[in-house]
Amino acid sequence: RRLTSWRRTGLQVIAEARVAVLLLAGGIDLEDYGPLPLLDIGLLSKKTLLQLLFERVKRVMHIALAYGRSMDAGFKQRGVKPISIYVICNEWNLREVNEFLEANELFGMRESEVHVLAHRFSALLDDRGKVLLERKHKAWVQPGGHGMCFQALVDDGLIPDLKSRGITHVFLAPTNNLGCKVLDPVFLGHCEDVKVTDRKTAGVKLVQKLSPE
């Protein structure tokens, strides 16, 4: 019963476009295969990780539209609002990701709803907190970790954009995790529920590892 209630709440949040998707595509690229989000993982369709996630977002939007029509007679005329997608890359793969999305016409998403940005590089530290050097007088830097994704939104001035769209939830997902159910309405509904009842501001969905490997 609770799962059904959470699912309904989550679909309502999606239908009202009160959630944005934040895709983390800024990890270290694979030297022999190029940018990780554009990786061909061996599917017969040749779909990349990024394409699969974009299509997942579109599919959930269609489900939310069907739900809205079944619950509200006037919903058909208003329609489901598009979901905003923010793709955070690194400065190495930003151009390639942009070109890939443009070549595929954003997989049917509106241009105004897709934002591609790069987070900053960070210096690597050793276990004593000292900056590691790539060579003499040059710090060794790598793309910032997942923890810097929200700072990237701040740096690019996108927080006002989120607020202007009425966004109350941000669904964060790494592009290399195909096990993640992006925009899972049950999880969204649960987060909405605890936000109202317990004033919680964040939720994490995970699967416990069976072993370190």
Side-chain angles (χ1 to χ4, degrees):
R1 211 178 273 180
R2 292 177 69 187
L3 291 177
T4 300
S5 175
W6 286 340
R7 186 174 188 274
R8 289 173 178 168
T9 301
L11 287 173
Q12 182 175 350
V13 169
I14 296 167
E16 295 172 353
R18 290 194 288 117
V19 58
V21 176
L22 184 59
L23 298 179
L24 304 178
I28 299 175
D29 298 335
L30 303 178
E31 186 174 345
D32 296 330
Y33 299 98
L36 184 59
L38 309 186
L39 181 65
D40 178 352
I41 58 173
L43 299 177
L44 293 176
S45 63
K46 300 296 182 182
K47 292 181 180 180
T48 65
L49 294 168
L50 194 58
Q51 178 177 352
L52 291 168
L53 292 173
F54 264 68
E55 290 179 350
R56 166 69 184 175
V57 172
K58 286 192 64 180
R59 175 58 182 159
V60 176
M61 285 173 57
H62 287 307
I63 293 173
L65 176 60
Y67 169 77
R69 288 173 174 171
S70 68
M71 300 298 293
D72 180 357
F75 190 88
K76 185 174 182 179
Q77 284 71 39
R78 297 195 303 273
V80 66
K81 297 179 181 178
I83 298 295
S84 296
I85 302 178
Y86 299 81
V87 183
I88 298 190
C89 307
N90 59 55
E91 294 179 7
W92 294 333
N93 67 17
L94 177 65
R95 180 181 59 80
E96 290 181 81
V97 170
N98 256 320
E99 290 177 350
F100 174 78
L101 290 173
E102 290 173 4
N104 290 278
E105 299 179 337
L106 303 176
F107 299 105
M109 300 295 292
R110 297 181 184 177
E111 186 175 351
S112 60
E113 308 302 332
V114 178
H115 310 266
V116 183
L117 58 148
H119 59 46
R120 309 299 179 254
F121 284 91
S122 299
L124 299 182
L125 308 177
D126 64 16
D127 53 7
R128 296 173 298 169
K130 301 287 186 179
V131 176
L132 295 172
L133 298 180
E134 184 178 355
R135 59 177 182 270
K136 191 174 182 180
H137 305 307
K138 180 175 174 57
W140 189 5
V141 297
Q142 289 289 334
H146 293 349
M148 295 184 68
C149 62
F150 293 108
Q151 185 60 48
L153 293 176
V154 173
D155 292 343
D156 276 62
L158 290 173
I159 299 301
D161 180 70
L162 285 166
K163 291 180 178 179
S164 70
R165 296 171 185 269
I167 302 298
T168 58
H169 300 72
V170 176
F171 196 108
L172 187 151
T175 53
N176 63 342
N177 182 6
L178 288 181
C180 175
K181 294 178 65 177
V182 179
L183 287 183
D184 178 5
V186 175
F187 180 59
L188 270 175
H190 171 67
C191 290
E192 174 79 353
D193 188 25
V194 297
K195 185 185 74 170
V196 173
T197 58
D198 301 330
R199 297 187 180 277
K200 305 295 184 183
T201 57
V204 180
K205 184 178 180 181
L206 51 84
V207 177
Q208 184 176 2
K209 284 187 176 182
L210 295 178
S211 68
E213 294 75 27

